[in-house]
Amino acid sequence: DAGVIQSPRHEVTEMGQEVTLRCKPISGHNSLFWYRQTMMRGLELLIYFNNNVPIDDSGMPEDRFSAKMPNASFSTLKIQPSEPRDSAVYFCASSLGALEAEAFFGQGTRLTVV
Amino acid sequence: GENVEQHPSTLSVQEGDSAVIKCTYSDSASNYFPWYKQELGKGPQLIIDIRSNVGEKKDQRIAVTLNKTAKHFSLHITETQPEDSAVYFCAAGDYGQNFVFGPGTRLSVLP
């Protein structure tokens, strides 16, 4: 298996624009997690899905952030409108079962909002 | 909620020496303590974990110890190699739920 696949790897956008980050989890995994990593705040869990259903979105910072998982093989994290403070590396991870502990991470998307 | 501190923030060791990274946590209900290694340009990778009913766990050159009374746990890497250079994160929480990551330690192994 190719592992968790995220796209794009790098994204540069202007403030106010909509940004969509994409994730393809490992086939057969039924839990998916979105994280944000910054120097100031470290690694933070934003939201996680189990069987395509959002279970906990308490880490989503603002209403500008939204995430969807329309099927078992695809998820998106959208920021609309984007702001410079959203600049970070966003990771997607997936696990077999509901355990964050056993999640495999993708390589991340580095987002820069100018 | 849980709060995890990690020290040191940076660590340099000579190849072949040992490296120790320490973490403390605040929530006595936490029962699961994983450690992740993050190489440049990659996502974190789980390298070892320990649960609260175990005091020590070892896997080849890496080991983790846990002191639940003092609420701290440590990662030990022996016989360090240049490929051990990375950022290491500890985390604490409930095995079946979400957990909180420490701020990370940048380890450099000097040849």
Side-chain angles (χ1 to χ4, degrees):
Chain A
D1 197 308
V4 176
I5 300 173
Q6 291 186 247
S7 64
R9 288 295 311 277
H10 303 274
E11 176 79 37
V12 180
T13 190
E14 292 185 346
M15 181 174 63
Q17 296 297 307
E18 176 180 298
V19 175
T20 299
L21 311 181
R22 297 172 175 80
C23 176
K24 181 181 187 304
I26 294 173
S27 177
H29 283 191
N30 55 13
S31 288
L32 183 141
F33 309 85
W34 282 101
Y35 296 85
R36 178 173 67 176
Q37 186 176 42
T38 62
M39 288 294 293
M40 291 297 296
R41 300 177 66 88
L43 196 60
E44 304 171 282
L45 178 65
L46 301 178
I47 184 171
Y48 81 93
F49 296 83
N50 183 248
N51 292 324
N52 311 339
V53 175
I55 302 300
D56 184 354
D57 65 354
S58 60
M60 296 286 262
E62 300 172 37
D63 290 345
R64 298 184 295 106
F65 287 70
S66 62
K68 294 183 179 180
M69 192 164 186
N71 57 62
S73 59
F74 183 66
S75 177
T76 61
L77 178 67
K78 185 177 294 186
I79 308 173
Q80 166 63 17
S82 58
E83 297 182 4
R85 59 196 170 111
D86 301 331
S87 298
V89 180
Y90 291 82
F91 288 102
C92 175
S94 71
S95 71
L96 185 63
L99 300 177
E100 181 188 10
E102 299 171 358
F104 290 83
F105 283 75
Q107 292 192 292
T109 294
R110 180 174 294 278
L111 173 65
T112 302
V113 183
V114 298
Chain B
E2 178 63 271
N3 181 51
V4 179
E5 296 184 354
Q6 185 171 346
H7 300 279
S9 57
T10 60
L11 177 61
S12 293
V13 298
Q14 289 294 135
E15 182 177 357
D17 288 350
S18 295
V20 180
I21 302 170
K22 299 181 179 181
C23 288
T24 61
Y25 62 99
S26 61
D27 189 350
S28 57
S30 289
N31 57 29
Y32 180 69
F33 308 91
W35 286 88
Y36 291 82
K37 176 183 181 182
Q38 185 175 21
E39 297 176 326
L40 192 64
K42 296 184 178 181
Q45 177 186 13
L46 179 68
I47 55 172
I48 194 169
D49 56 15
I50 191 167
R51 302 194 197 187
S52 60
N53 59 345
V54 176
E56 183 174 355
K57 184 176 179 181
K58 188 174 181 179
D59 183 4
Q60 298 182 358
R61 295 187 297 109
I62 59 173
V64 58
T65 59
L66 171 65
N67 183 328
K68 283 221 75 180
T69 303
K71 295 212 255 320
H72 65 71
F73 55 113
S74 301
L75 177 72
H76 304 253
I77 307 174
T78 59
E79 301 173 21
T80 53
Q81 302 168 2
E83 52 265 39
D84 294 329
S85 296
V87 179
Y88 290 81
F89 295 93
C90 63
D94 186 333
Y95 184 73
Q97 304 295 327
N98 302 338
F99 43 77
V100 175
F101 288 86
T105 296
R106 182 173 298 278
L107 173 64
S108 299
V109 179
L110 308 175

